[in-house]
């Protein structure tokens, strides 16, 4: 379980505190404090009032380049062409640009890239900070990064005790699985994904959510319903086909991500099954294509995570404390792919 | 019409020539010449034989950093969180990394970013090359870029007479509209998109394709069927709703991109119409979600365009001629969203 930033007690007030008390996202709080457009006047006033009450001060240095440094920040990105990674980087790039910092893209998509990257790392010293973009590093790699003596920030995950912005994967998974359980499903399959190019030290929050939600509801865990595949829509489609071949197929499917869920949807449609009348499907992410395909999912604020990570980098480079980390909330988005199982309607 | 690279007559042989004669994509040719894995042995041998016959020499400098330069390349990217842009950048980043070059991401998504970017451009001089990623620059902006005296390469479009990698948008559009015409449709709507943040100097190839294909088939152009909206799935959905409100709705829809097409699909489904039985829909791009949603579309090689642009940059920085440009072919991918109109079945 990822620690959630709580009340500002023993430490300096940070942006997350202001946002939480103002009842807005940290991204909105940041925009309000920064005087950006597209923030409602009432919201801006509330954020400024809270910031004032908490004596929160935007560091004057946080928005410009600290002197004597390179002005460059490297982002380690495994899979830029997937929406989630691209949206994280998009938010990050915008925030860094606003702070006068340039973003270097360091692709580390496959195992070879990764080994090569860390081998050559000392030569990469010409940056002020490194941001790991949903990229789990192992202890040896973390020590390599730390040996560079630059700021390290993690987005979409955590790296040691470095500042981070992420979501609580287990909480997101619980929102998804609990929704299916509340609808009356008990035979719920999980299509979990693993990235074969990455080490196995990824947070298993989405899997834990499945196991715990079923246990809490008193439903048995059926190993036949627990699929683990590589990430991707085609892989989700194959997993769904395997599930349909079971003697007792599931009445609902919980997929690791929206793209995997859409693969499952394609298989169901090809089999002539109706969604959600015959089978319910839920994803996680709220990728823009989820809205287009009427997929029920759990929304996570992706671009905002990147933006906040950029703010943290700028804050740290200005010599201020970016705070320990931010866990942004997720929320269930009910669309047309989930409904009670047939017997209950 | 974009000039297609033709036979190597008066100029040095380049990668595109080798690829064309070997009957493979330039990306495959590059991988074969570079000794990368994932190239079939027979393909590698054919590419090497052709390269040998043409006396094509991979510049030894093309794969490492030219001395005395920054080793950095900037990519101007308008909309990184859209698959097309992200996949272009992903390919570009991989090729640059292989050449020992770092990629700086310069987001220029909205009009303000753009103005600010070109205002500050002289301060951006610390790069060896600038790649415009599907980013149409106007003449004044082009002159600013050229004033930096760095290599300029365009991907997903063209900039003046600088080297480029792109597709032929009109040819891609013809593949889509001609498919609908061949199926027997004559009442074909177009959902064209414009990016309000970009100037109006984008190539109108996809629109021209529509007008010319209908004219060639002898079908009248009905202004009611010609929708222009902002880019996006929701915008495609709205446009489709408008088309359904017509006295004589279309029997087929040609959308500017897959995401726009999927918005139209959602509206049709919500209206209780069957695809393709009642209405056919075709997109352009072959975004991975097109396969997942069984959408007929026109495939364009996106990541490959980025990879080739990266090779061109490396070639130019090594002092060799990257050639005038490459136009990669597109192809129709028939899936489940197109069929003959009802009367013809």
């Amino acid at each position: 379980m990822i620690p959630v930033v709580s009340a500002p007690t023993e430490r300096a007030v940070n942006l997350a505190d202001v946002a939480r008390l103002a009842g807005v996202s940290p991204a909105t709080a940041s925009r309000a404090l920064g005087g950006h457009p597209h923030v409602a006047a009432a919201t801006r006033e509330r954020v400024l009032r809270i910031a004032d009450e908490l004596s929160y001060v935007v560091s004057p240095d946080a928005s410009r380049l600290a002197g004597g440094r390179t002005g460059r920040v490297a982002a380690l990105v495994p899979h830029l062409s997937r929406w989630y990674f691209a949206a994280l980087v998009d938010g990050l790039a915008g925030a860094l640009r606003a702070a006068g910092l340039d973003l270097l893209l360091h692709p580390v998509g496959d195992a070879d890239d990764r080994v090569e990257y860390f081998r050559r790392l000392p030569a990469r010293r010409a940056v002020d900070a490194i941001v790991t973009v949903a990229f789990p590093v192992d202890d040896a790699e973390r020590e390599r990064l730390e040996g560079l003596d630059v700021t390290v920030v993690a987005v979409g995950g955590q790296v040691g005790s470095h500042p981070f912005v992420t979501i609580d994967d287990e909480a997101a998974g619980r929102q998804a699985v609990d929704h299916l359980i509340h609808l009356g499903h008990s035979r719920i399959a999980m299509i979990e994904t693993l990235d074969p190019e990455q080490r196995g030290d990824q947070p298993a929050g989405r899997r834990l959510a499945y196991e715990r939600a079923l246990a809490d509801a008193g439903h048995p865990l059926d190993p036949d319903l627990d699929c683990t595949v590589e990430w991707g829509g085609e892989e989700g489609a194959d997993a769904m086909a395997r599930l349909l071949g079971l003697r007792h197929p599931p009445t609902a499917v919980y997929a690791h991500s929206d793209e995997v869920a859409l693969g499952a949807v394609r298989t169901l449609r090809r089999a002539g099954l109706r969604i959600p009348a015959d089978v319910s499907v839920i994803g996680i992410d709220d990728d823009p294509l989820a809205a287009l395909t009427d997929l029920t999912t759990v929304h996570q604020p992706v671009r905002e995570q990147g933006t906040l990570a950029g703010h943290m980098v700028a804050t740290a480079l200005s010599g201020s404390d970016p705070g320990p980390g931010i866990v942004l909330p997720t929320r269930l988005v009910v669309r047309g792919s989930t409904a009670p199982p047939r017997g209950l309607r």
Side-chain angles (χ1 to χ4, degrees), chain A residues 145-165:
Chain A
L145 289 177
E146 289 167 352
L148 295 181
D149 197 26
V150 301
T151 295
V152 175
V153 169
V155 62
Q158 286 187 266
V159 171
S161 59
H162 296 279
F164 64 89
V165 188

Side-chain angles (χ1 to χ4, degrees), chain A residues 240-241 244 264-274 278-279:
Chain A
M240 190 70 239
L244 289 181
V265 164
R266 189 184 71 189
T267 296
L268 290 166
R269 287 229 171 93
R270 287 188 179 171
L273 294 166
R274 290 160 304 159
D278 298 315
V279 182

Side-chain angles (χ1 to χ4, degrees), chain A residues 317-336:
Chain A
L317 293 182
S318 74
S320 300
D321 178 10
I326 299 175
V327 178
L328 292 180
T330 57
R331 68 171 200 277
L332 179 68
V333 180
V334 178
R335 297 198 180 98

